[in-house]
Structures are given as C-alpha cells and as structure tokens.
Amino acid sequence: MTNAIERHISINTENLSGEFYFQSFLTEAYEQHEISETELETIQLDCFKLLAVRTESYNNGASSSVQIEVAQVIMASNFFTIGLYLKSLPDLQTALQALKNEPIADQYQKGLKIVCRKMNVARHLYYLVCSSRIESMQYFYNVAIDEDLKRFLKNYNLEYEAHEVTTLIDYQLMNPVSDLAGVEYLVHYLHNLSLENMFCAKFKPAVILAVMHEYDHQYKELPVNFFEQVLLNALGCVLLRKDIEAPILTAADRQEMISIIQCEDGTSPFTLLNNTADLVIESLSITSLPLKAYIKAALPVLISSF
Amino acid sequence: MPFDLTIFSGSLMIRQAVDEVLECNDGTKHYALVLNEQQAVELIETRSCSLKETGRFEFGGGVINKLINVFCSSPFIMQDNYAEIIHELIEIFYYFKNETLDRMSDDDLIKFMKKSFDGQCQSSLELVKGRELERLSRRIRYGNDFEYIKIYGEEKKADND
C-alpha cells in the first residue's frame, strides 16, 4: 500500500482549448510553473526535431526546405495528434507527467494510433447515419450524408493535416460541434447526427415530411434541421395534449404553445419545457442515455428561439 | 508564451547550422576551397534572409552543404570567389525552388544549376538565373515537364545503373 500524497496541480481546465489542446496545455503548464524554462525549451526542441522528421517524410527526403505554410500545417497536425494523446490520459497529472517525461516523438506515435482508432469509429458512425437516414429530398441533409461526410472520410490526411476539417458540412446540427478539430470534430458531428436520426426514426417518414412542410413548404431548399422541427412539434403535441405519434402542429398551434410556455404561472419556461421533454421521452420509449442528454441539451436553444 | 516556427530560429539552431557548414571543409579541402567560421556564419545569414524572402523553412545546414558539395568541383570556383558564389547560389536556389513549385528535388535543381553553370553559362550566374532556370521553371509551371525529364531522365538512369 502506498501512502504517497498526490501533489495538486494548478492547471485550470477552463483555460484548455479542445481544438488546440497541446498548445494550451503547454502554455498553461508553463504559466502555472508546472514546467520549468528548461523543460519548456526541451519540449520545443523535441517538437522541432519531430517537425524535421515529419517534413522529411512529407517530402520523401527530396527537399530540405518547405514553404513556411506547409511547415506550419505539419506542425499544427503534430500538435493536434500529441494533444489527442494527452487528452486520452486519465487526468491532468498523468498528462503533465507524460508531457515532461515521454519523448515528443513517442507521444506523437501514440496520438497517431488514437487518430486511426477515431477514424474507425467515424466510419462506423457514418454507417449508422446512413442506415438510419431520413428519407427526404432535403438538399443540405442529403449532400451532407452523400457527399460532404463521405469526402471528409476519404480525404482526411491523418499524417500531415490531422487537425484540418477538410470538408465544410453545410447541414447544421441542433447542437453544433464546437472547439474541436480534425477527426474529433468528425466523430462528434456523426455522433450527434446519428442521435438526431435515432430520434426522428421514432416517427413515421410521412409525419416527418408533414412537419417539415408545415414549417415551410420550401424546406427542401432550406438549411433547416429535421430534429429541431420534429422535437419542437413533439413538445407542442404534449403541451397541447395531442397525439404524439402524429405531431403535426399548425401555425396557430405553435402560437398557442409559445403562449403556454411564456405565460405559465410560477414555472420558468425552461422547467416547463424540461418536464414536457421528459414526457416526450417517456411517450416515445426512449431509453438511450446519449439521446436523452441530447434532447435536454437542445432545450435552451429552443427556448431562445421562441 | 509564443509557440510558432519563429522560436526555432534561435542561436542554438544557428550554431548547429554553422557547424554543419564547416564540416564541409573536410571534403572541399581537396579542391583548395575552405570556409572560415565568419564566412560560414555569413552563409547562414544569407540563407536565413533568402528563406524569409521566399517564405520557406529549413532544418539544419540544409541546402548549403548540398550546394558546396556539388559546386566545389566546378573549374570556375576558386578560393577567391568561393564564398561569394555560394552566397549567390543560395539566393538563386530558394527563389527557383518556389518558382518550380517544389516539383524538383533539391538534388535535381542543384544538378541542373551546376550543369548550366559549368556548361552553357560558363560561370555566369546571371545566365544561370535569368535564362536557364527561368526557362526550366516556366516549363514546369505550364505543366510541360518533358524537357526536364529529357534532361535528367538519362542521367538518373545512368546514376541508378
């Protein structure tokens, strides 16, 4: 049995960036005096050596120099990959020890393995999204699945541009992915989209299309989110005591719903909507915890849109 | 704490690059060509300026060593003009590395420069730069690599054999 007392480290997680994790971690560790000037220089020199090796590999050894933009991209990619490794460690203390004691090249190699694993996860999630997709003619949704995401998976350069979001996906999610880059962004986007599809799959396709038509008859050309409209209608149906299996609210119903939410005595709109969301979850027999959490996370956005 | 590529242009890197350039003296002594430390430092400075002007980044002694090792055998280079020519070659090299869109390897570009310098241009760096390399880079930019392949195809084949 060890009685060692773990030293408290003063790195503030709020100052760590999800997108630029390595850089922010190093900066925070240095500013909080968790790493010394000498250790920082050693890490920087190791990063430089790694950059030299990666650049040589990029050039196939044919050129000793590269355009500065290329070097910067490779360096950002290296940082992203190392950052993924540090993020994967159980806590900040372990991450700090790894940063200080493990050679940067080893950290990079471990990070690269994580990138590969995340790519496999992304491929699986893409398969889930395809198999649960909503049958619709909506342009943005279909392009996102048939072209953008497929292109992202195909073009993602995990060795030299691991941090890049190579393809812009125009279909906006109800809960957008932010502060993430590269394969992490892709995995979260696909995860969220699969949850949205999972929720919409609780309704008949004809009902979803009717909801979208009710929202705007030109919805096929609009970058409108399916999940948002279907959830809004489901919440409305519960509030107005209508059949949730066929949630088609008219414009008048929507107005009534808004007035109920805003005028309910003694209850805040969020609490009311939260309770209604619980009823929706129960009515649709939703057991998936991530989907429940996703629905709850969407509520503040819905309230702000009223 | 700044953390970009500029942190790597410190004195440690310069020292390392100077040492690498001075190591070339072992090979060039045979041609009665030697660089002193001051000249090596100046070459590194020229390289830094050229890299900055052309928006490029390099590791270690890099291309200076390659230029020295190839050009030291030129009949037009003597101790008197040695350092001066290497200075100019460094500037020309990086400029045309960009102009050829990085599609030529360092070795091929240097080989082309050496061949032009010793051959048609008869040690005129103005001609190497303004005529031969301009023509080559124009062809590469317009996607016509044929001449480049024709020039080097046979040489490379001979090298491989």
Side-chain angles (χ1 to χ4, degrees):
Chain A
M1 191 183 76
T2 57
N3 284 327
I5 297 169
E6 279 189 18
R7 195 172 70 83
H8 172 73
I9 62 165
S10 47
I11 292 176
N12 186 357
T13 44
E14 284 178 9
N15 293 337
L16 300 181
S17 157
E19 195 175 350
F20 306 103
Y21 191 79
F22 175 73
Q23 295 96 313
S24 61
F25 189 82
L26 195 60
T27 307
E28 184 68 5
Y30 177 68
E31 283 175 358
Q32 299 301 328
H33 308 291
E34 293 291 347
I35 56 171
S36 66
E37 187 89 34
T38 319
E39 284 170 330
L40 178 69
E41 277 175 14
T42 310
I43 291 167
Q44 287 179 332
L45 202 62
D46 271 2
C47 288
F48 174 72
K49 285 176 187 164
L50 176 67
L51 178 64
V53 171
R54 300 302 306 149
T55 307
E56 195 178 350
S57 160
Y58 176 83
N59 281 325
N60 292 321
S63 182
S64 62
S65 64
V66 286
Q67 291 189 344
I68 206 147
E69 293 84 1
V70 174
Q72 277 166 340
V73 167
I74 296 173
M75 196 168 197
S77 176
N78 293 347
F79 288 168
F80 171 80
T81 308
I82 297 167
L84 268 191
Y85 167 63
L86 295 177
K87 262 188 211 179
S88 74
L89 296 171
D91 52 46
L92 290 175
Q93 179 72 49
T94 319
L96 186 66
Q97 287 309 313
L99 182 67
K100 283 159 80 164
N101 301 325
E102 288 183 31
I104 286 289
D106 289 358
Q107 293 181 46
Y108 174 79
Q109 287 304 328
K110 287 174 184 171
L112 202 57
K113 281 181 187 166
I114 295 170
V115 174
C116 291
R117 281 206 297 274
K118 282 192 180 285
M119 272 308 278
N120 289 335
V121 172
R123 285 191 196 98
H124 176 68
L125 285 171
Y126 180 68
Y127 167 76
L128 288 181
V129 164
C130 288
S131 56
S132 63
R133 70 185 292 168
I134 301 161
E135 292 305 326
S136 151
M137 295 295 282
Q138 210 235 21
Y139 174 79
F140 291 96
Y141 180 79
N142 287 333
V143 165
I145 295 177
D146 296 331
E147 294 177 27
D148 297 342
L149 289 165
K150 201 183 266 185
R151 202 181 309 130
F152 198 133
L153 285 165
K154 191 181 167 197
N155 296 346
Y156 184 64
N157 185 347
L158 57 93
E159 284 199 80
Y160 304 109
E161 293 172 5
H163 64 297
E164 296 273 14
V165 176
T166 47
T167 309
L168 277 179
I169 307 165
D170 287 331
Y171 183 71
Q172 295 298 308
L173 296 171
M174 181 72 213
N175 298 328
V177 182
S178 59
D179 197 28
L180 288 176
V183 70
E184 274 197 304
Y185 172 87
L186 179 63
V187 166
H188 276 76
Y189 184 95
L190 284 165
H191 178 69
N192 288 0
L193 186 56
S194 70
L195 291 176
E196 291 191 358
N197 282 358
M198 197 195 289
F199 178 77
C200 291
K202 297 280 179 187
F203 301 90
K204 289 175 187 153
V207 172
I208 296 170
L209 297 187
V211 167
M212 298 308 286
H213 262 291
E214 191 58 40
Y215 170 73
D216 194 318
H217 65 281
Q218 285 187 319
Y219 80 93
K220 288 175 191 169
E221 283 84 38
L222 298 173
V224 57
N225 182 274
F226 279 104
F227 173 84
E228 181 179 357
Q229 296 310 316
V230 175
L231 175 63
L232 196 61
N233 277 272
L235 291 168
C237 284
V238 170
L239 276 174
L240 302 176
R241 293 182 174 77
K242 288 192 171 192
D243 179 15
I244 196 168
E245 295 295 323
I248 305 163
L249 296 182
T250 60
D253 289 337
R254 282 175 183 248
Q255 274 305 318
E256 196 183 338
M257 177 188 168
I258 291 167
S259 58
I260 288 173
I261 289 169
Q262 288 173 344
C263 299
E264 191 74 12
D265 292 332
T267 316
S268 76
F270 181 78
T271 312
L272 179 66
L273 214 55
N274 197 39
N275 295 339
T276 314
D278 284 334
L279 291 173
V280 169
I281 289 167
E282 198 185 321
S283 306
L284 296 172
S285 310
I286 293 170
T287 52
S288 160
L289 290 177
L291 181 54
K292 285 180 188 173
Y294 194 82
I295 292 168
K296 293 293 178 78
L299 298 181
V301 186
L302 284 180
I303 289 171
S304 65
S305 68
F306 290 145
Chain B
M1 184 194 63
F3 201 86
D4 55 38
L5 292 172
T6 54
I7 63 166
F8 300 122
S9 52
S11 57
L12 191 66
M13 295 298 153
I14 293 169
R15 185 65 253 168
Q16 195 183 337
V18 168
D19 287 345
E20 283 181 32
V21 170
L22 289 175
E23 278 172 23
C24 292
N25 283 340
D26 296 340
T28 58
K29 265 182 204 161
H30 179 66
Y31 300 97
L33 300 171
V34 175
L35 291 168
N36 60 34
E37 185 154 348
Q38 179 58 33
Q39 286 172 320
V41 171
E42 285 168 7
L43 286 176
I44 298 299
E45 281 171 6
T46 298
R47 182 190 71 155
S48 302
C49 290
S50 300
L51 285 169
K52 202 173 175 184
E53 278 171 19
T54 53
R56 298 185 70 82
F57 190 75
E58 190 172 61
F59 308 91
V63 90
I64 303 179
N65 304 25
K66 289 180 183 176
L67 285 167
I68 289 173
N69 290 332
V70 170
F71 275 83
C72 67
S73 63
S74 170
F76 298 105
I77 298 183
M78 286 156 283
Q79 182 63 34
D80 287 349
N81 62 5
Y82 177 38
E84 189 189 330
I85 287 177
I86 299 295
H87 277 288
E88 287 202 50
L89 287 171
I90 291 168
E91 288 172 4
I92 293 171
F93 175 85
Y94 289 118
Y95 178 75
F96 281 98
K97 194 75 185 163
N98 276 358
E99 290 295 294
T100 54
L101 311 174
D102 280 304
R103 283 167 67 177
M104 279 180 92
S105 70
D106 287 357
D107 292 343
D108 283 353
L109 183 57
I110 293 171
K111 207 183 271 184
F112 182 89
M113 288 162 68
K114 172 74 169 13
K115 192 176 176 181
S116 307
F117 182 78
D118 285 351
Q120 306 96 309
C121 302
Q122 291 288 295
S123 82
S124 165
L125 285 170
E126 280 299 307
L127 284 177
V128 171
K129 190 168 65 173
R131 191 180 67 192
E132 301 302 320
L133 282 169
E134 274 297 344
R135 191 187 293 164
L136 175 76
S137 52
R138 203 162 44 242
R139 280 177 183 150
I140 288 177
R141 282 201 305 275
Y142 293 149
N144 182 7
D145 287 18
F146 176 68
E147 285 295 318
Y148 164 60
I149 294 160
K150 204 167 75 176
I151 293 164
Y152 284 100
E154 288 180 9
E155 277 187 18
K156 276 195 166 177
K157 194 166 174 274
D159 287 348
N160 291 338
D161 291 343

